[in-house]
């Protein structure tokens, strides 16, 4: 007899005006636009809501398999690909698990899947700055990225995958917490977030709600959504997250 993980009609997924938790129990696989022969799950997109607090980016999973490849980008769209599982070819390099590729707007570089795996992708329209050249392509390994204790806490390590430079209007970081470690305070800020739990479990405060989260969950946080996290369990918790940076909040 099949075991049912949750009672009929229940889910951990929640979608609110300023945040969302998308749990794997409700994932729906569909074709992924911008990729050849690809299927996956769109986790966060502007379709979540209407008005200024809806997401301004897209976050999705690609189910990698031979023959799946990304297509060249439009001139106003940028793409960040993080390898969760498997191996891909990007810009002549082989990228394994925990490696990444940032493709700037208009890039003709493609990500070619070599076998079975899973990719996490962030896409965002690029906001150019006057007299600032668009950012270059960036590839690398999470293990080689600059990594520091967050606000001096060695149990909360923050790795920065992209350069912190005005040309980049997005950041993608990896946050790793030892069990019991927390964000030091409830954050409330102008940046929005897209987040994917890549390991462990914990509790995320999102607005006035407290959400148990675990590996495989995705979270959207709108600008000014109060947020806080504590890692729980016996293993480290880790998430990969996007935020918008280096652009005026008065810009369209």
């Amino acid at each position: 007899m099949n075991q049912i993980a949750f009672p009929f009609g229940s889910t951990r997924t929640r979608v609110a005006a300023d945040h969302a938790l998308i749990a794997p129990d409700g994932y729906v696989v569909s074709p992924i636009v911008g990729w050849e022969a690809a299927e996956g799950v769109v986790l966060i997109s502007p379709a979540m809501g209407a008005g200024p607090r809806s997401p301004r980016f897209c976050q999705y999973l690609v189910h990698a398999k031979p023959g799946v490849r990304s297509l060249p980008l439009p001139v106003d769209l940028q793409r960040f690909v993080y390898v969760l599982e498997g191996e891909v070819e990007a810009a002549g390099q082989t990228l394994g698990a925990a490696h990444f590729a940032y493709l700037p707007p208009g890039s003709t570089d493609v990500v070619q899947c070599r076998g079975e795996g899973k990719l996490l992708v962030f896409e965002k329209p690029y906001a150019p700055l006057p007299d600032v050249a668009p950012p270059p392509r960036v590839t690398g390994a999470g293990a080689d990225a600059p990594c520091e204790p967050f606000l001096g806490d060695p149990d909360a390590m923050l790795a920065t995958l992209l350069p912190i430079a005005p040309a980049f209007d997005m950041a993608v970081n990896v946050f790793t917490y030892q069990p019991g470690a927390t964000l030091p305070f409830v954050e409330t800020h102008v940046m929005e977030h897209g987040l994917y739990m890549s390991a462990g479990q914990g509790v995320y405060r999102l607005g006035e709600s407290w959400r148990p989260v675990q590996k495989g969950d995705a979270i959207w946080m709108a600008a000014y959504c109060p947020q806080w996290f504590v890692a729980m369990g016996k293993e480290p918790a880790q998430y990969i997250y996007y935020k918008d940076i280096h652009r005026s909040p008065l810009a369209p």
Side-chain angles (χ1 to χ4, degrees):
M1 180 177 178
N2 292 332
Q3 298 295 312
I4 300 172
F6 299 97
F8 289 121
S10 69
T11 178
R12 291 190 302 109
T13 292
R14 297 290 185 272
V15 180
D18 63 353
H19 71 271
L21 167 62
I22 309 298
D25 59 65
Y27 282 4
V28 175
V29 176
S30 62
I32 297 296
V33 175
W35 292 69
E36 188 175 285
E39 291 188 326
V41 181
V42 179
L43 300 168
I44 299 169
S45 79
M48 274 182 165
R53 301 204 84 182
S54 63
R56 294 167 289 171
F57 67 100
C58 191
Q59 174 181 330
Y60 58 88
L61 296 174
V62 172
H63 294 170
K65 59 182 180 181
V68 168
R69 64 194 294 270
S70 67
L71 299 177
L73 285 165
V75 295
D76 60 347
L77 189 67
Q78 56 194 321
R79 176 181 291 145
F80 183 97
V81 179
Y82 187 92
V83 183
L84 294 168
E85 301 171 12
E87 250 183 15
V88 302
E89 292 285 339
Q93 300 182 51
T94 299
L95 306 178
H99 287 65
F100 62 90
Y102 168 79
L103 304 180
S107 173
T108 58
D109 289 314
V110 300
V111 176
Q112 177 77 46
C113 299
R114 301 183 64 181
E116 301 288 330
K118 186 187 298 183
L119 311 178
L120 174 66
V121 183
F122 298 99
E123 290 182 349
K124 175 187 178 296
Y126 182 66
L129 286 177
D131 303 319
V132 176
R137 179 186 68 223
V138 180
T139 59
D144 297 332
C147 188
E148 296 181 353
F150 185 65
L151 296 182
D153 183 357
D155 288 334
M157 298 296 293
L158 183 64
T160 305
L161 303 186
L162 291 178
I164 306 300
F168 290 85
D169 67 352
M170 65 183 292
V172 180
N173 303 330
V174 179
F175 220 147
T176 304
Y177 299 79
Q178 296 304 310
T182 73
L183 283 175
F185 57 92
V186 178
E187 296 185 356
T188 308
H189 49 59
V190 68
M191 296 82 73
E192 67 174 337
H193 284 321
L195 182 154
Y196 183 82
M197 290 289 299
S198 53
Q201 61 184 340
V203 173
Y204 231 110
R205 175 182 170 168
L206 301 167
E208 299 306 313
S209 300
W210 301 77
R211 309 291 191 194
V213 295
Q214 62 188 28
K215 181 180 178 180
D217 288 349
I219 297 174
W220 166 62
M221 289 170 265
Y224 296 105
C225 174
Q227 56 200 252
W228 180 83
F229 178 72
V230 57
M232 303 182 72
K234 297 183 178 180
E235 300 177 355
Q238 184 182 84
Y239 53 72
I240 303 143
Y241 74 97
Y242 151 90
K243 66 178 179 180
D244 51 307
I245 58 171
H246 289 148
R247 297 297 183 268
S248 169
L250 296 176

